[in-house]
Amino acid sequence: MTTDADPAAAAPGAGPADRRDWGRYAGLIVPPALVFVAAVALWEAAVEVFEIQRFLLPRPSEIVSLFFEDFSRLINQGRNTLGVAGRGLVLGGAIGIGLAALSFRTRWMAEGLGIYAAVLKAVPVISLAPLTVVWFGIEAGSKIATVSIATAPILFTFTLVGLRRADPNAQELMRSYAAGRLRTFWSLHVPYALPFFFSGLKISVTIAMIVAIISEYFGGSFENLGGYIRNEANNVHTVEVWTAIVMACALGIGLYMIVAIIDRFVLRWHSSKRGG
Amino acid sequence: MSARVTSQASPSLGGPGRLAVLLRSERLRSWSARIGLILILIALFLGGWEFLKWVTDSPRTTLPHFHEVFDYLFDIDSQGNTQWLAIGRQLEVTFIEAVTGLAVATVAGFAAGTLMALSRWTGRGIMPFVIGAQTVPIVAIAPALVIWLGTGWETKALIAGFLAFFPIAVATARGIGDISQDSLDLMASYGASPTRVFFKLRVPGALPYIFTGLEVAAAFSVIGAIVAELPVGSQEGIGVKILTSQQYFSLEPESLFASIGGACLLGGAMVSMVRIVQLIVLRGHRGETIS
Amino acid sequence: MTTTDSASETPPTATQTAIAFEQVRKEFGKGRDATLAVDDVDLAIGEREFVSLIGPSGCGKSTLLRLAADLIEPSGGSVLVKGKSPRQARLDRDYGFIFQAPTLFDWRTVWKNVALPLEIMRIPGMTKQKKQDEIERLLGMVGLDGFEKHRPYQLSGGMQQRVSLARALVFRPSILLMDEPFGALDEITRDRMNLELLRIWSETHTTILFVTHSIPEAVLLSGRVVVMTARPGRVQSVIPIDLPYPRTTEVEESTRYYELVTEVREALGEAMAGDA
């Protein structure tokens, strides 16, 4: 809408004013907070009114108090699970991103790997958990392998789509500068792929967490969230199970938020374009 | 993923007739090329399997030959059935759980997504939980639900549906909400009622998004069903079969491989089903989705 | 097919040939699906000349530009840029290419966008200070002082195209290849950009090959206008524009200008008639 004559139209301060920013944050935080409080209250009331038995659904207040009582144990178990999820994610990411970077220029290779990735995404990865146990042992190794099998195809697909999305004109521009492949890759393809990579990463972190817990559930040490859940669930210690759920959710959401914040920070140019 | 990159654009050459011929021949070529590629990929997979077995010198109890697993399918079990039939029966159970869950999740997810997109405050209030709920370890909830609702297939369908719900809800919310202001203004200029706008503009516009969500949901529904079968007390389903095969692994490793293969096929079948429906429903749409 | 002027005739101001097309033919596709985009093109562009290519869509004017830039290769005939193969000319960074879309990198500031070719080319003797001065000078030349730290999406379309122009000039190529650079701008902005381009052309002593579909634009800017036919693209006629440089908006009110516009329009009409 700006004619060229009016640089003021494009002058700095295009971002929203600080005061409005606060309003926006409040708008983002207040409604979910209200929903959360209402849901917890409803839950507590339902347990009271319908006299639901403890082993079926414990009260939130009971879960919270046990959560803090057991906090040091839970955080320890959470750290072990987080370690498995993190290592699996790094391994899966290295494989997925590496293959995407190697194949994105070669159509048949990208297509072939894409089919493998599509199959892996359709496959119920957790059913592979018993096999990874056979191959990599009952402890962390097998769980890390399962997590990377689950996350590699996701990161591969997103990264590949991003790398291939680079503006054809910009590719020609780089060619006109006689820029080398590596140069073009870093200066052009990588920035194009970053937003896609982060979208994939946001999905992958939560999946990594869940898959880590499920594969821990399949056996091995009890000193992690999945093992703890298996043990307590078998003894119908429902409150204990719920404290582990709370810890798992907190860690999952925390991981997601860290990625989301990095995404925001790294891709300011991108999100400001989207957000307008 | 759909990697349908248009061939290097030769700037608007040839009449429409010629273009049609070109498209048709190219599509045919790409289909035959695709089938060829898939055959090569299967061969590579099997070759890789056998190569891995040879290189690591794995015994049968770590990695059997592929043909040993294949032969196992035709063995007779204690009830006098062939193994593939036994595995097939378990798959059928899991399939029904997953499909039912997916169907329920589709309806519920579409409704929730629509609500989130159209009511700003509902959307803002619920969206973080929709994302947060995906971090809930389903294995932890499943046992409680099984105690509560019994070990019947309905419980497992519910858990499958729970997992499938979120991708559909998120995709619907995004699709229904992501309509250009110009299109909305155009509908307004026709004096279209909100219902009309919804069915003529928002829903068709959201379909590609929804199908992307459905594909993920289809895979999740199988995962949900299998996980729901894991807690003690379950008797049926491929998840149970995998667990029992794991227990007898050292005696009969082929059983675990065959069961896992069956589960993978089921996942593939569910996703393919959604893809086929998508191909039919979205015939006219441009084929670009990120999955 | 009428020829108002032979293509081989020496252009008015030229001393040497900057770009030479000889018997150039370009086919896209293979076998039965092949389409002839450009056929039998002979054209010589002198050094420091401003030549426009104009014609109906699909006449291959962009194809010619891309052939000169070594973004595509001819199927027959030869293209010489400064007496070298286009590939060598590209490796020697002899030309700057400007697209219809500004093709700026969103993740870079205006300053860093202009600096991009220098980062890639590592021109000997280009010190940090020299680089600094050069970018400053160019941003001044295209009227963008004070916008160094802006991101592309904060600028209007016209300003973005100015950045693109500065970026093309920063490594001092002797040739500018411009593919409908102002085609996406509104009329008012376009007029301003045309006059600025003329000024920059005279200041920088570059050769410009300019693709457009605007007759007034072609007449206002060029020393010669090359009219092309479509399917296949051939040179229909070459019309010398004998309006004196430097040209200003007043030129657009002269009778001679109108005569030339009419001449080009008629030639273009014939080119289109041949197509039908």
Side-chain angles (χ1 to χ4, degrees):
Chain A
M1 57 161 290
T2 52
T3 60
D4 219 56
D6 183 16
D18 284 73
R19 216 178 307 145
R20 240 185 291 153
D21 250 14
W22 282 114
R24 234 180 53 198
Y25 288 133
L28 286 177
I29 291 165
V30 172
L34 286 176
V35 170
F36 184 72
V37 171
V40 171
L42 206 68
W43 176 352
E44 184 91 35
V47 176
E48 178 74 40
V49 171
F50 299 110
E51 292 174 4
I52 299 172
Q53 281 168 292
R54 254 179 104 229
F55 74 93
L56 286 181
L57 188 66
R59 294 159 189 271
S61 53
E62 206 177 342
I63 296 168
V64 168
S65 68
L66 187 66
F67 179 81
F68 286 114
E69 224 168 277
D70 285 355
F71 188 76
S72 62
R73 185 176 60 197
L74 284 169
I75 201 80
N76 217 21
Q77 291 167 337
R79 199 183 297 144
N80 290 338
T81 300
L82 210 57
V84 164
R87 287 187 182 92
L89 191 63
V90 169
L91 185 62
I95 295 169
I97 296 163
L99 287 177
L102 283 177
S103 68
F104 82 102
R105 276 178 205 279
T106 325
R107 196 172 161 191
W108 61 267
M109 227 168 118
E111 200 125 307
L113 287 170
I115 292 174
Y116 277 135
V119 169
L120 270 182
K121 279 195 285 183
V123 156
V125 173
I126 41 114
S127 69
L128 298 175
L131 265 189
T132 58
V133 167
V134 172
W135 292 330
F136 304 105
I138 193 83
E139 293 309 329
S142 62
K143 288 129 183 71
I144 292 168
T146 314
V147 171
S148 48
I149 293 170
T151 50
I154 300 171
L155 288 166
F156 170 80
T157 318
F158 275 87
T159 310
L160 184 72
V161 169
L163 286 172
R164 293 179 115 187
R165 195 55 71 89
D167 178 6
N169 271 349
Q171 293 185 44
E172 289 184 327
L173 188 76
M174 295 303 275
R175 184 177 157 85
S176 84
Y177 295 153
R181 280 201 165 188
L182 215 59
R183 185 83 223 194
T184 308
F185 180 74
W186 286 111
S187 301
L188 178 64
H189 290 282
V190 168
Y192 263 94
L194 272 179
F196 292 88
F197 164 73
F198 273 108
S199 303
L201 192 60
K202 277 193 228 167
I203 297 172
S204 300
V205 285
T206 48
I207 287 188
M209 235 3 235
I210 294 186
V211 171
I213 292 172
I214 299 180
S215 47
E216 285 163 355
Y217 189 86
F218 265 96
S221 160
F222 291 109
E223 268 319 296
N224 48 51
L225 292 176
Y228 183 64
I229 288 170
R230 166 166 42 103
N231 198 28
E232 300 300 315
N234 285 345
N235 297 319
V236 205
H237 291 159
T238 318
V239 187
E240 279 79 358
V241 171
W242 273 97
T243 58
I245 293 176
V246 172
M247 180 51 86
C249 287
L251 292 176
I253 293 169
L255 266 185
Y256 179 90
M257 274 168 59
I258 289 170
V259 174
I261 288 167
I262 296 173
D263 178 21
R264 267 279 149 120
F265 183 74
V266 174
L267 301 180
R268 266 163 311 173
W269 52 270
H270 189 260
S271 42
S272 39
K273 195 180 186 185
R274 271 183 313 198
Chain B
M1 55 156 280
S2 69
R4 200 176 304 156
V5 179
T6 41
S7 55
Q8 286 302 308
S10 40
S12 62
L13 303 161
R18 187 183 284 191
L19 192 74
V21 171
L22 187 116
L23 264 179
R24 224 173 296 142
S25 63
E26 203 163 79
R27 181 170 292 177
L28 198 71
R29 221 177 300 148
S30 81
W31 269 106
S32 53
R34 242 192 183 195
I35 290 167
L37 187 63
I38 288 171
L39 288 178
I40 291 171
L41 292 176
I42 291 173
L44 269 177
F45 173 73
L46 296 181
W49 177 326
E50 291 297 326
F51 178 75
L52 208 66
K53 180 172 171 62
W54 177 73
V55 158
T56 58
D57 194 22
S58 301
R60 174 167 157 262
T61 49
T62 309
L63 190 64
H65 283 292
F66 177 73
H67 63 82
E68 285 173 333
V69 176
F70 193 75
D71 288 345
Y72 170 78
L73 290 176
F74 299 97
D75 286 357
I76 307 294
D77 72 358
S78 51
Q79 266 104 52
N81 293 316
T82 50
Q83 291 293 352
W84 67 263
L85 197 69
I87 292 173
R89 284 220 180 109
Q90 304 307 321
L91 282 175
E92 191 188 334
V93 172
T94 308
F95 174 72
I96 289 169
E97 294 161 2
V99 161
T100 313
L102 185 62
V104 173
T106 306
V107 175
F110 180 78
T114 305
L115 196 70
M116 283 193 284
L118 296 185
S119 154
R120 180 174 246 240
W121 286 95
T122 322
R124 282 186 176 175
I126 293 178
M127 195 55 131
F129 297 103
V130 170
I131 293 167
Q134 299 188 55
T135 64
V136 173
I138 189 81
V139 268
I141 310 250
L145 277 174
V146 170
I147 296 168
W148 205 345
L149 302 171
T151 51
W153 68 271
E154 296 89 346
T155 308
K156 288 141 194 172
L158 190 74
I159 294 169
F162 175 80
L163 220 57
F165 169 81
F166 300 105
I168 299 173
V170 172
T172 307
R174 196 167 292 166
I176 294 277
D178 187 28
I179 300 290
S180 78
Q181 194 57 45
D182 285 351
S183 310
L184 288 171
D185 289 347
L186 183 74
M187 293 304 266
S189 79
Y190 298 152
S193 68
T195 351
R196 281 255 140 163
V197 174
F198 183 70
F199 285 109
K200 293 272 169 205
L201 177 62
R202 287 191 186 271
V203 172
L207 278 178
Y209 290 84
I210 295 175
F211 272 107
T212 309
L214 268 176
E215 244 174 69
V216 178
F220 278 18
S221 70
V222 177
I223 294 178
I226 290 177
V227 169
E229 288 163 0
L230 297 183
V232 278
S234 298
Q235 257 112 50
E236 281 184 311
I238 196 69
V240 176
K241 179 83 185 158
I242 289 173
L243 272 190
T244 45
S245 301
Q246 191 187 11
Q247 277 153 20
Y248 297 106
F249 184 75
S250 51
L251 293 173
E252 213 174 44
E254 294 86 2
S255 170
L256 181 62
F257 281 90
S259 309
I260 290 174
C264 293
L265 278 182
L266 180 62
M270 287 287 288
V271 174
S272 306
M273 225 169 58
V274 170
R275 285 226 164 166
I276 289 166
V277 175
Q278 177 182 21
L279 276 182
I280 295 166
V281 174
L282 297 185
R283 260 169 326 205
H285 282 68
R286 265 179 299 169
E288 206 186 334
T289 50
I290 304 160
S291 48
Chain C
M1 179 166 151
T2 56
T3 307
T4 324
D5 191 352
S6 160
S8 54
E9 205 178 270
T10 27
T13 56
T15 48
Q16 254 182 314
T17 312
I19 307 172
F21 297 94
E22 270 172 42
Q23 296 291 308
V24 168
R25 200 168 61 84
K26 176 66 190 171
E27 258 174 33
F28 286 106
K30 276 181 216 152
R32 282 183 54 216
D33 295 334
T35 5
L36 194 55
V38 160
D39 193 23
D40 196 22
V41 168
D42 280 295
L43 189 65
I45 292 121
E47 248 170 35
R48 297 177 63 175
E49 203 186 357
F50 197 131
V51 174
S52 290
L53 300 174
I54 196 167
S57 65
C59 73
K61 37 192 201 297
S62 295
T63 306
L64 282 184
L65 214 59
R66 275 151 200 273
L67 284 167
D70 187 39
L71 297 176
I72 48 178
E73 281 171 22
S75 316
S78 81
V79 183
L80 287 178
V81 179
K82 297 185 77 180
K84 300 175 278 195
S85 71
R87 184 178 155 72
Q88 193 55 47
R90 175 167 69 83
L91 295 177
D92 292 348
R93 280 97 183 211
D94 280 328
Y95 69 84
F97 201 102
I98 293 172
F99 300 90
Q100 178 172 358
T103 319
L104 301 177
F105 290 7
D106 281 333
W107 51 92
R108 286 171 169 253
T109 59
V110 165
W111 177 278
K112 292 211 113 194
N113 263 290
V114 177
L116 176 73
L118 297 181
E119 283 173 28
I120 292 171
M121 294 177 184
R122 291 206 206 92
I123 297 161
M126 182 61 90
T127 59
K128 214 174 172 194
Q129 189 56 46
K130 267 191 189 167
K131 187 172 146 183
Q132 197 100 357
D133 293 344
E134 184 67 6
I135 296 173
E136 225 158 84
R137 187 181 68 82
L138 278 168
L139 283 175
M141 188 193 254
V142 298
L144 282 175
D145 315 87
F147 285 93
E148 293 85 0
K149 295 240 153 55
H150 281 63
R151 304 259 169 179
Y153 56 84
Q154 296 174 308
L155 305 181
S156 68
M159 294 166 91
Q160 290 185 13
Q161 200 54 284
R162 285 163 198 245
V163 179
S164 157
L165 191 58
R167 183 182 56 187
L169 292 168
V170 75
F171 57 100
R172 302 200 170 181
S174 56
I175 299 171
L176 281 183
L177 302 171
M178 307 180 81
D179 194 357
E180 295 185 33
F182 309 136
L185 303 181
D186 65 85
E187 200 75 16
I188 300 163
T189 311
R190 190 176 189 151
D191 280 349
R192 283 171 59 100
M193 295 294 288
N194 280 335
L195 293 176
E196 283 183 36
L197 180 61
L198 278 177
R199 179 174 56 80
I200 288 165
W201 172 60
S202 67
E203 281 174 25
T204 53
H205 311 299
T206 46
T207 309
I208 297 184
L209 185 54
F210 190 92
V211 166
T212 179
H213 47 219
S214 158
I215 299 169
E217 184 175 72
V219 173
L220 174 67
L221 294 175
S222 326
R224 286 187 297 156
V225 174
V226 178
V227 179
M228 295 183 69
T229 60
R231 285 178 268 273
R234 289 200 172 93
V235 175
Q236 202 259 355
S237 53
V238 179
I239 301 166
I241 306 297
D242 50 9
L243 298 164
Y245 288 107
R247 297 175 189 166
T248 60
T249 29
E250 281 148 43
V251 168
E252 292 174 279
E253 284 149 28
S254 70
T255 350
R256 184 63 193 142
Y257 172 79
Y258 280 110
E259 286 169 12
L260 286 164
V261 166
T262 309
E263 196 180 332
V264 174
R265 179 165 290 131
E266 280 169 0
L268 204 52
E270 275 174 54
M272 308 263 268
D275 182 39

